[in-house]
């Protein structure tokens, strides 16, 4: 229960922070992608980026909330089953890894005009790599003080992941 509450508070805090800084995350993502290659996305004004990224963050918040509530109910049920209840922290870690990977892979995907459903399909097609990326972010966010600097580093990592893994594979096919 304590791990669940810590995850819930940390995730909620992260989602609120992302909602507030989403325009700046989009700009950072564009700048990082420009350093890696010549992107094909159109240039946007700050107001356009702010509107687009805020809407996208609200969409991700809804996606997260529905699944977190569902997993919360499963956790409550599993907590009454001896030995099986030991799997709940693993489920929350995996869920958190997926959500954090989505959070940071979605930045360059949004900048490149991919819909939310397209991003989910691309992530599912690269599930192992995505979970590895999200797992690293999840582990780093659990380190006090370091977690304060995770957002910009993870945005940069998400862009590199997008350009090298996702775009690289879709361009090869």
């Amino acid at each position: 229960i304590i791990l669940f509450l810590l995850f819930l508070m940390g995730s909620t805090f992260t989602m609120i922070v992302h909602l507030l800084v989403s325009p700046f995350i989009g700009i950072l993502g564009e700048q990082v992608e420009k350093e890696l290659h010549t992107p094909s996305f159109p240039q946007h004004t700050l107001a356009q980026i702010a509107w687009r990224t805020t809407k996208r963050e609200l969409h991700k918040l809804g996606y997260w909330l529905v699944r977190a509530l569902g997993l919360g109910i499963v956790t409550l049920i599993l907590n009454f089953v001896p030995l099986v209840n030991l799997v709940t922290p693993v489920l929350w870690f995996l869920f958190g890894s997926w959500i954090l990977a989505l959070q940071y892979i979605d930045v360059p995907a949004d900048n490149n005009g991919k819909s939310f459903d397209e991003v989910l399909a691309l992530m599912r097609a690269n599930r192992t790599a995505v979970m590895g990326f999200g797992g690293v972010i999840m582990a780093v966010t659990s380190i006090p003080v370091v977690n304060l600097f995770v957002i910009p580093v993870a945005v940069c990592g998400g862009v590199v992941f997008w350009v090298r893994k996702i775009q690289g594979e879709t361009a090869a096919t």
Side-chain angles (χ1 to χ4, degrees):
I1 292 173
I2 292 171
L3 286 174
F4 168 72
L5 292 175
L6 285 173
F7 173 79
L8 188 63
M9 289 185 305
S11 297
T12 303
F13 174 76
T14 301
M15 290 300 216
I16 291 170
V17 168
H18 274 276
L19 189 60
L20 296 173
V21 300
S22 59
F24 306 107
I25 289 174
I27 292 168
L28 175 61
E30 283 187 357
Q31 296 305 313
V32 171
E33 192 164 350
K34 286 179 186 176
E35 291 295 320
L36 294 173
H37 71 113
T38 305
S40 60
F41 54 78
Q43 295 300 312
H44 299 99
T45 66
L46 181 59
Q48 289 171 322
I49 292 172
W51 176 247
R52 186 189 78 225
T53 56
T54 301
K55 284 191 328 186
R56 189 74 163 228
E57 286 300 320
L58 288 171
H59 190 98
K60 283 188 279 192
L61 183 62
Y63 177 88
W64 170 82
L65 189 59
V66 167
R67 283 148 186 83
L69 287 173
L71 187 54
I73 292 168
V74 169
T75 299
L76 282 173
I77 294 167
L78 290 179
N79 276 333
F80 293 108
V81 182
L83 296 178
V84 176
N85 62 358
L86 298 175
V87 79
T88 57
V90 174
L91 292 175
W92 279 102
F93 181 83
L94 293 172
F95 174 69
S97 298
W98 179 262
I99 292 298
L100 287 173
L102 171 63
Q103 185 67 49
Y104 297 111
I105 292 170
D106 187 56
V107 171
D110 186 33
N111 286 343
N112 283 278
K114 299 292 183 192
S115 73
F116 190 75
D117 291 333
E118 287 176 292
V119 174
L120 290 173
L122 289 167
M123 286 177 62
R124 286 183 193 112
N126 295 281
R127 190 178 308 269
T128 304
V130 165
M131 291 302 288
F133 174 66
V136 168
I137 297 169
M138 188 74 172
V140 172
T141 58
S142 68
I143 302 170
V145 180
V146 174
N147 61 4
L148 299 173
F149 305 100
V150 166
I151 292 175
V153 172
V155 168
C156 295
V159 171
V160 170
F161 186 89
W162 174 262
V163 169
R164 298 212 173 126
K165 181 74 178 157
I166 306 291
Q167 276 187 338
E169 286 185 5
T170 54
T173 56

